[in-house]
Amino acid sequence: MKKRILIIGACGQIGTELTMALRNMYAPHKVIASDIREGDDEMMKSGPFEILDATDYEAVQDIVIKYEITDVYLMAAMLSATAEKFPMRAWNLNMNSLFNVLNLAKDGKIDKIFWPSSIAVFGPTTPKINTPQRTVMEPSTVYGISKQTGERWCEYYYKKHGIDVRSIRYPGLISYKTMPGGGTTDYAVDIYHKAIKHNQYICFLNAETTLPMMYMDDAIKATIGIMEAPSGNIKIRNSYNLAAMSFNPEEIATSIKKQKQDFTITYEPDFRQAIADSWPESIDDSHAREDWGWEHEVELDEMTSIMLKNLD
Ligand code: AKB
């Protein structure tokens, strides 16, 4: 099978682990990593790497042609907290990069696209508990507006041009391997680092802010899972709800305390509280489970053990 994969945004939180997982699955020379900056040693040495600006159509096209790319994972994006500070930069990056790959597919240069959406597509008027796949969506953040718009374009290109584009609405993602950058759910990674280094954490969300979350291994499994599924199984072409666990800062702190009794947490909510307050607490992902067999594995206490063990 002549599959050649391009990951755009390979050095980010998801891209780093996704690239390594795909290089383990396929011959490494068939998995081309790219980003606006160089990655770590493992990224640079384990397979081909290209410096690439995702918003530059010609540059993306050149790489697609050079490596005869069939599948693109477009992971470059500006996340929720940073996007509130730089709305136009976020819009340009999040939208232009998507149009670039959708149009390359429309011109027959790419066969399949993965594009990440987010729980940020939901807003304050969305039902918060067990948020359905199809419901009121009035995102109130710059990032959420870009993801909601992107979802509409993905479905449009699928229906109008037959583009095989697949997408997931990621919850907050937690990993010990790569740091997130500029997100609202990032506290759930930082808390483990601070627990190891200082045994205390000052949280930028309040104690009761429940959000949907997922351990990175499960997110990578879902990402590759939806891309490997037969096309006929992908019945939703805007983006699939995806869930694993939901917890708030107090609950993650309690989970850490089970292993580090003297760990303490205090709360100093900042502008990210309003972003988190506009998002769901839990997600109904039954369509992903039924259509392409999604199953999560890791729950909060297991994730805490993995994080603390690996960061120590
Ligand atoms: C963020 O917090 O911005 C992201 C997301 C939920 O998409 N982690």
Side-chain angles (χ1 to χ4, degrees):
M1 190 177 54
K2 192 191 140 304
K3 189 190 270 293
R4 280 186 191 265
I5 298 171
L6 173 64
I7 299 135
I8 302 176
C11 300
Q13 191 202 13
I14 311 173
T16 304
E17 296 197 32
L18 180 63
T19 303
M20 294 312 149
L22 288 168
R23 282 183 177 163
N24 284 334
M25 262 180 86
Y26 298 103
H29 72 274
K30 293 189 173 176
V31 180
I32 291 78
S34 72
D35 207 301
I36 196 92
R37 60 187 161 88
E38 286 195 351
D40 59 18
D41 259 17
E42 196 187 8
M43 168 76 61
M44 302 304 289
K45 289 182 183 152
S46 58
F49 183 90
E50 296 276 352
I51 294 287
L52 181 62
D53 174 357
T55 64
D56 182 341
Y57 181 83
E58 302 296 328
V60 179
Q61 178 173 248
D62 286 350
I63 301 292
V64 164
I65 291 169
K66 175 175 169 188
Y67 291 98
E68 299 178 343
I69 296 298
T70 55
D71 299 8
V72 173
Y73 291 75
L74 172 57
M75 310 312 288
M78 194 183 286
L79 298 189
S80 56
T82 314
E84 288 305 303
K85 294 183 180 153
F86 308 105
M88 286 298 105
R89 269 168 56 190
W91 180 259
N92 287 339
L93 171 60
N94 295 358
M95 299 316 302
N96 291 345
S97 58
L98 175 60
F99 278 123
N100 286 348
V101 293
L102 287 174
N103 285 328
L104 283 168
K106 184 174 137 228
D107 290 347
K109 292 174 182 138
I110 301 169
D111 297 339
K112 211 194 272 186
I113 297 167
F114 177 82
W115 178 76
S117 188
S118 161
I119 54 163
V121 292
F122 300 113
T125 52
T126 301
K128 269 193 177 304
I129 312 290
N130 235 0
T131 301
Q133 175 69 40
R134 296 185 183 88
T135 183
V136 180
M137 295 170 90
E138 296 178 326
S140 56
T141 64
V142 171
Y143 175 63
I145 293 167
S146 76
K147 288 295 177 188
Q148 162 68 341
T149 312
E151 286 193 6
R152 302 315 316 144
W153 281 111
C154 287
E155 193 183 273
Y156 179 88
Y157 270 70
Y158 170 73
K159 286 190 170 152
K160 191 92 179 167
H161 304 296
I163 303 307
D164 190 355
V165 54
R166 304 169 183 212
S167 178
I168 283 168
R169 292 172 181 152
Y170 288 120
L173 300 180
I174 294 123
S175 151
Y176 62 88
K177 292 183 188 152
T178 327
M179 292 299 280
T184 301
T185 58
D186 295 8
Y187 91 85
V189 179
D190 201 28
I191 193 169
Y192 289 114
H193 287 263
K194 296 285 167 26
I196 294 295
K197 274 197 211 124
H198 311 299
N199 225 1
Q200 56 174 326
Y201 183 60
I202 304 170
C203 188
F204 59 75
L205 299 181
N206 69 34
E208 303 83 36
T209 312
T210 300
L211 289 169
M213 299 279 187
M214 184 178 288
Y215 184 57
M216 184 62 84
D217 284 8
D218 276 337
I220 299 299
K221 189 175 84 165
T223 308
I224 296 176
I226 192 173
M227 282 295 266
E228 297 284 313
S231 181
N233 289 26
I234 309 302
K235 302 196 175 96
I236 293 171
R237 292 293 181 157
N238 54 341
S239 192
Y240 275 93
N241 276 8
L242 195 75
M245 54 188 137
S246 283
F247 55 78
N248 64 34
E250 196 174 4
E251 287 162 340
I252 192 172
T254 303
S255 177
I256 293 172
K257 276 183 207 162
K258 287 183 193 162
Q259 296 182 44
K260 290 177 71 58
Q261 281 79 8
D262 43 356
F263 173 72
T264 57
I265 183 165
T266 50
Y267 302 95
E268 287 180 15
D270 65 15
F271 74 100
R272 289 168 282 194
Q273 185 66 49
I275 301 176
D277 286 343
S278 76
W279 290 350
E281 290 188 13
S282 59
I283 299 284
D284 172 4
D285 64 352
S286 47
H287 286 275
R289 291 176 191 265
E290 278 156 30
D291 290 359
W292 45 275
W294 157 244
E295 272 173 358
H296 77 279
E297 279 167 32
V298 180
E299 300 287 353
L300 176 57
D301 282 340
E302 188 189 350
M303 180 173 79
T304 298
S305 302
I306 299 170
M307 291 295 288
L308 294 178
K309 189 167 142 246
N310 285 283
L311 291 174
D312 208 355

